[in-house]
Amino acid sequence: MSLYVMKFGGSSVGDIERMKRVAKRIADKQDEGHRCVVVVSAMGDTTDDLIDQAKQLNEQPPAREMDMLMTTGEQISVALLSIALHGIGRNAVSYTGWQAGFRTDETHGRARINEIVPRRVLESLEREQIVIVAGFQGMTLDGEITTLGRGGSDTTAVALAAAIKADVCEIYTDVDGIYSTDPRIVKTARKLKEISYDEMLELANLGAAVLHPRAVEYAKRYQVKLVVRSSFNHNEGTVVKEEASMEQGVVVSGIAYDKNVARISILGVPDVPGVLAQVFGKLAAEGVDVDIIVQSGVQNGEADFSFTLALSELERAKGIIEGLHSELPYREVTSEDNLVKVSIVGAGMVSHPGVAAQMFEVISGEGVSIKMVSTSEIKVSCVIESGNLPTIIQALHTAYNLDTEEQAFVGGPKDRR
């Protein structure tokens, strides 16, 4: 008897009818002879509605109280799903994240899992119950409720699968697998039968929204067999595993994009040791993540350098840099916000020269200038202006022979967690 962890996102349980369909899906899995642990997100737009209500009361609500508020969405989902399963004759039990044994650090809004003590989950499985666990949440050793941040329910599912040594962790979403690019942009995107942890991690970090990077990190670290499939049909999904077989002639596995990109340039910086450490050390201390960093040549003892970061952090980062002016006498700080990062990913790129050059040629052929470039063994990223994004994604998809004749399946609105 195999042990399955099944994760359903907000769109999959977005209303009562969808909740009933998910309950039937879980019951079918049990009828196949499997034990089931289910992780669920908040229903539909519940989380967004809660945030809106909080901000109507206070534009800057305390992080602790927001965690108290936000976790209620998942608690509603798990209770309703358990009730739905009882309604069709199944023995189910629902648990909050902390009841399921999730212990986190003290960072409200983006806590990290320190350990999982799944005693109650395992005891319920011994009683042949279907276990429903609230995603996205945990508790500190001091009893403070926390949330895991963006992608938290994916992370809950994979981490729990590792802790209880599940045979498979299935992530149910609105698309029926991992595609070569966003099927909402490219209708002929290729569904991948399998993909390696490393490729999936790159795609997730670069903007592909199907899986969260932390969930993929857990899967790779603990060798969790991960399957992404649709909650709207029964098609075979995509397996994420250690080593994926390369399809003949396919060098690039996927194309990702990130619209949440801005660039800051610091001009006229003294060319002395420690300048970069001073700037990026301060940004790191304030919790600002940076991505691509480029430094230009030195002229008259001064250098310019630029870096990208999340658009949502732009104003805060500029304020931090302006605060360094008395210690770091730069000439000027400029910024751009109408940017997007487009990336190609593929394990086959290592042994195929010219992949990056082809990407540059495709982008320039669309009349778009490349502002910054970042590379690794299995990815190339270009920062460009955002205007021609759909056209560029389609052109790259065609250039790397990823188009298929089949139409990609998209079953509902994109899950937020």
Side-chain angles (χ1 to χ4, degrees):
M1 182 181 290
S2 297
L3 175 55
Y4 274 70
V5 171
M6 308 167 72
K7 181 262 176 177
F8 293 91
S11 68
S12 300
V13 292
D15 55 38
I16 294 301
E17 288 307 311
R18 291 185 180 189
M19 191 79 72
K20 289 179 179 178
R21 186 166 60 227
V22 166
K24 176 67 165 56
R25 189 78 176 251
I26 297 164
D28 289 345
K29 183 73 71 175
Q30 187 182 49
D31 288 343
E32 292 170 7
H34 305 299
R35 295 179 294 161
C36 301
V37 176
V38 183
V39 174
V40 188
S41 296
M43 295 173 67
D45 295 327
T46 299
T47 302
D48 289 342
D49 292 342
L50 291 172
I51 293 171
D52 289 343
Q53 290 173 38
K55 290 195 171 182
Q56 288 175 36
L57 297 168
N58 184 341
E59 271 300 317
Q60 295 184 315
R64 179 191 182 278
E65 304 309 325
M66 287 302 292
D67 276 359
M68 289 286 287
L69 179 66
M70 301 266 278
T71 51
T72 62
E74 277 70 21
Q75 290 180 55
I76 291 169
S77 289
V78 295
L80 287 175
L81 185 54
S82 181
I83 290 167
L85 283 161
H86 280 276
I88 56 174
R90 304 297 165 139
N91 185 6
V93 61
S94 64
Y95 292 127
T96 64
W98 48 93
Q99 288 176 318
F102 281 79
R103 308 286 180 257
T104 75
D105 64 20
E106 296 81 14
T107 310
H108 287 291
R110 49 188 177 89
R112 292 269 177 175
I113 299 167
N114 286 337
E115 65 172 343
I116 304 173
V117 186
R119 176 182 58 82
R120 297 185 72 176
V121 173
L122 294 172
E123 288 174 353
S124 296
L125 287 170
E126 286 297 316
R127 294 192 292 267
E128 298 186 354
Q129 292 178 300
I130 296 171
V131 184
I132 317 295
V133 176
F136 177 66
Q137 58 184 241
M139 181 176 281
T140 70
L141 287 177
D142 293 333
E144 289 292 316
I145 293 173
T146 55
T147 61
L148 306 182
R150 180 174 166 264
S153 291
D154 284 353
T155 305
T156 298
V158 178
L160 186 56
I164 64 176
K165 297 180 170 53
D167 296 282
V168 184
C169 179
E170 294 185 327
I171 306 292
Y172 289 82
T173 182
D174 58 326
V175 292
D176 57 358
I178 307 297
Y179 279 85
S180 51
T181 194
D182 187 344
R184 297 168 186 83
I185 290 181
V186 179
K187 299 301 183 186
T188 55
R190 179 190 301 254
K191 190 173 83 171
L192 307 178
K193 184 176 181 180
E194 55 186 37
I195 188 171
S196 70
Y197 292 127
D198 288 337
E199 289 174 304
M200 189 65 243
L201 188 56
E202 286 282 15
L203 285 171
N205 275 315
L206 294 167
V210 178
L211 282 174
H212 192 269
R214 269 202 284 173
V216 184
E217 287 171 5
Y218 268 104
K220 178 177 172 61
R221 185 184 311 161
Y222 297 106
Q223 295 295 292
V224 175
K225 182 180 179 182
L226 199 55
V227 180
V228 178
R229 59 191 312 176
S230 175
S231 59
F232 296 91
N233 63 38
H234 288 77
N235 295 343
E236 288 188 15
T238 300
V239 178
V240 186
K241 53 193 284 192
E242 184 60 45
E243 294 293 336
S245 58
M246 288 176 54
E247 190 173 335
Q248 185 69 30
V250 175
V251 177
V252 172
S253 299
I255 301 168
Y257 63 90
D258 184 0
K259 293 181 177 180
N260 183 32
V261 177
R263 178 168 76 161
I264 292 178
S265 298
I266 307 179
L267 312 176
V269 180
D271 182 37
V272 296
V275 168
L276 292 179
Q278 186 178 2
V279 173
F280 295 109
K282 182 64 174 176
L283 290 169
E286 297 292 334
V288 176
D289 291 327
V290 302
D291 186 15
I292 303 172
I293 304 171
V294 174
Q295 180 173 338
S296 63
V298 178
Q299 289 186 341
N300 302 320
E302 294 183 342
D304 303 335
F305 64 90
S306 302
F307 62 92
T308 60
L309 72 169
L311 177 59
S312 56
E313 295 279 27
L314 176 59
E315 294 306 318
R316 192 160 74 93
K318 285 166 64 177
I320 293 168
I321 293 167
E322 287 165 5
L324 288 172
H325 199 205
S326 59
E327 308 166 41
L328 183 67
Y330 53 78
R331 185 175 70 251
E332 184 183 5
V333 174
T334 64
S335 64
E336 296 174 83
D337 57 13
N338 188 31
L339 302 175
V340 65
K341 181 171 67 175
V342 178
S343 307
I344 57 172
V345 174
M349 292 166 56
V350 177
S351 56
H352 286 76
V355 176
Q358 186 177 10
M359 182 181 191
F360 304 153
E361 184 177 340
V362 169
I363 293 174
S364 65
E366 297 296 327
V368 175
S369 298
I370 297 172
K371 295 176 177 288
M372 302 177 82
V373 176
S374 174
T375 65
S376 74
E377 285 189 337
I378 64 170
K379 64 100 173 170
V380 180
S381 297
C382 295
V383 177
I384 60 176
E385 290 187 355
S386 61
N388 285 12
L389 177 63
T391 304
I392 288 170
I393 295 293
Q394 180 66 74
L396 287 169
H397 200 265
T398 300
Y400 291 111
N401 300 314
L402 294 173
D403 292 340
T404 66
E405 294 182 1
E406 299 178 4
Q407 290 283 305
F409 175 84
V410 181
K414 184 169 64 178
D415 287 336
R416 289 174 171 80
R417 287 208 297 274

